Each structure stands twice: as structure tokens, then as C-alpha cells.
Amino acid sequence: MSNKKSYYAFEDPFGTTIEFQATSLQQAMVIKKNKAQELGIPKEAFELISISKKPSQSA
């Protein structure tokens, strides 16, 4: 199995964006859940907005 990572970006309705690298969408969902818990935001509030090979250039 290849170990190619993609960047997954999720955003909640209030504009909070989290972006990270993961090897699969399943792994991304687990990371999203953990990051949402850290922020105190329900994981269901975050929606996938992009999957890319490079990090987004948002400022």
C-alpha cells in the first residue's frame, strides 16, 4: 500500500478551518474528530471542503 498523503481541509459554519495531512479519508475523519474535540466543537459541525496534494495557501 502506498503511503501518499493528501491534505484534507474541513470547515465549520462559523468559518473555523482545520487542515492536516492524512493517508486516507478514514484517517482524516479520525483526526477531524480529535481536533474538533480539542476545539470544543462537535465533529458534525465540520464539513470537508477540499482534498489536495498541497496545503492550501489561506492566510
Side-chain angles (χ1 to χ4, degrees):
M1 184 174 178
S2 69
N3 195 19
K4 292 181 181 168
K5 290 190 175 191
S6 295
Y7 288 88
Y8 294 82
F10 293 87
E11 188 173 84
D12 77 357
F14 305 106
T16 304
T17 303
I18 52 176
E19 183 179 74
F20 48 84
Q21 271 189 306
T23 55
S24 67
L25 183 57
Q26 184 176 4
Q27 183 186 35
M29 291 302 191
V30 172
I31 295 170
K32 176 190 77 162
K33 183 181 94 173
N34 294 336
K35 289 192 179 287
Q37 284 178 336
E38 288 174 17
L39 296 170
I41 301 170
K43 70 180 188 299
E44 296 80 13
F46 285 95
E47 292 195 21
L48 181 64
I49 57 170
S50 73
I51 301 173
S52 64
K53 295 296 177 196
K54 296 179 182 174
S56 66
Q57 298 299 319
S58 59

